[in-house]
Every structure is written in structure tokens, then in C-alpha cells.
């Protein structure tokens, strides 16, 4: 396996990303079910089968293009269906459901850091591009992807998980108006992540609001891995 090969380079990003987003979505569905809404279970979405969650564009095309371009890799899956009215407490239930996804990603990042600390030195030995190096590269990227997804999804706008948290925290009168942004969530995302940085590079939301805290959290996890090793 040649580390400079496009297949290798794509695999060490897409494999961690698919696992991270599948667990993220299933976590939403689990918490929704615990809080009274079994919709995700009824629609067979509480599954770790990636096929049930893959969005062809968000899970494959976008991450692959970013990996090829050596750009930060991110993506998304088909959202797990949640019906707020079926939750026992819709207002706070939706906040808990929203936070479950980023919470799961941080838990997975913790597991990746522990695995790197326990096994990284052993399995990473050998020639570059070997199986051990491939596994270590996946663990490192799994850590990076999970931290980025957790903080990225906490952006306080729809369609991000942070948008649901903001809606739950706002007074009911303001929350009603805020909820009206939801149908425009995808357009908001494209504007913030693509169009705005193209027009005004200094207004790059991801670079300014997500990357700095993500780097700090990653350093914390790498310190944990170093302490364990």
C-alpha cells in the first residue's frame, strides 16, 4: 500500500468518516427512542449498516473530493428521522437528541486516543504503507474526524445539531420564529461553508469557529494517547 496512492489516501479518510457518521446518526435514534420516539427504530435506521445511512453526495462524493484535494475532510449522512411530537418532552427531548450525535463522536474520539496510546507504537512499526501504518493512519484520522464532526455539528444554526439546541434554549416566542429557518437549512449551510468563504476568505466560518477549538481538543486527546503509551 503506497501512502501517496489516491486509493490509500481516500481510504484512510473515508473509512473513519463513514464509521463516525453512522454512529453519530444511530446515537440520535437511540436517544430519541429512549425519550419516547421510536420512529428511527420503526424505519430500520437503528442499524450500523452504512447502506442505511449513506448519502451518495455527503458520504462519498464530497469526502472523496476533499481527500483528493488534500483539504479538510467532512461529510454527512441521511438524517435519522425524529418526530418531536412523539417525544415525552419535545422541547428538551430534541435538545438531548441533537447532543447525542456530537456526544457519540467525542466518545469515539476518546476510544481512538486510548487505542493509539495502547497499540499505536506496536502496530505502527514497519514499512510505510504497511498494514500497521494503515491501521494507525485510520486511528489518527478517526480521532480527527470525530472531533471535527462533533464541533462542526454544534454550529448554532439549522440544519446542524447546535441549531436544535439553540431552539430549545430560546424563549418559546423566539423559538417559533427560529424554527422557520429549518426549511432553508441546506441553503444556509452552502452559503456559510462555500459561498461566503469564496467571496470573503476572512469570513470562513469553519476556519474561524470550528478549526481552533477542534485543534485544541485534538491536542488534548493526543496528550491522552501519549500518557497511555
Amino acid at each position: 500500500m503506497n501512502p501517496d496512492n489516491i486509493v490509500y489516501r481516500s481510504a484512510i479518510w473515508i473509512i473513519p468518516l463513514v464509521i463516525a457518521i453512522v454512529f453519530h446518526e444511530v446515537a440520535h435514534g437511540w436517544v430519541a427512542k429512549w425519550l419516547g420516539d421510536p420512529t428511527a427504530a420503526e424505519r430500520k435506521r437503528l442499524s450500523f449498516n452504512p447502506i442505511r445511512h449513506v448519502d451518495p453526495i455527503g458520504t462519498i462524493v464530497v469526502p472523496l473530493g476533499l481527500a483528493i484535494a488534500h483539504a479538510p475532510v467532512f461529510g454527512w449522512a441521511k438524517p435519522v428521522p425524529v418526530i418531536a411530537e412523539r417525544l415525552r418532552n419535545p422541547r428538551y427531548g430534541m435538545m438531548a437528541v441533537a447532543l447525542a450525535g456530537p456526544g457519540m463522536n467525542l466518545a469515539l474520539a476518546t476510544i481512538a486516543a486510548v487505542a493509539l496510546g495502547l497499540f499505536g507504537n506496536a502496530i505502527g512499526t514497519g514499512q510505510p504503507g504497511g498494514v500497521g501504518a494503515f491501521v494507525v493512519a485510520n486511528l489518527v484520522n478517526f480521532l480527527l474526524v470525530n472531533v471535527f464532526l462533533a464541533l462542526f455539528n454544534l454550529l448554532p444554526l439549522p440544519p446542524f445539531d447546535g441549531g436544535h439546541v439553540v431552539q430549545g434554549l430560546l424563549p418559546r416566542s423566539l423559538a417559533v420564529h427560529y424554527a422557520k429557518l429549518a426549511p432553508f437549512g441546506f441553503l444556509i449551510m452552502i452559503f456559510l461553508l462555500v459561498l461566503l468563504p469564496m467571496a470573503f476568505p476572512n469570513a470562513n466560518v469553519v476556519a474561524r469557529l470550528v478549526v481552533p477549538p477542534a485543534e485544541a481538543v485534538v491536542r488534548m486527546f493526543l496528550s491522552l494517547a501519549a500518557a497511555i503509551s
Side-chain angles (χ1 to χ4, degrees), residues 45 48 165:
R45 293 295 304 280
F48 291 102
V165 176

Side-chain angles (χ1 to χ4, degrees), residues 19 27 37 58 106 109 123 126 132 163 165 167 183 200:
I19 296 172
D37 176 20
L106 292 176
I123 63 179
V165 176
Q167 186 175 335
F200 306 99

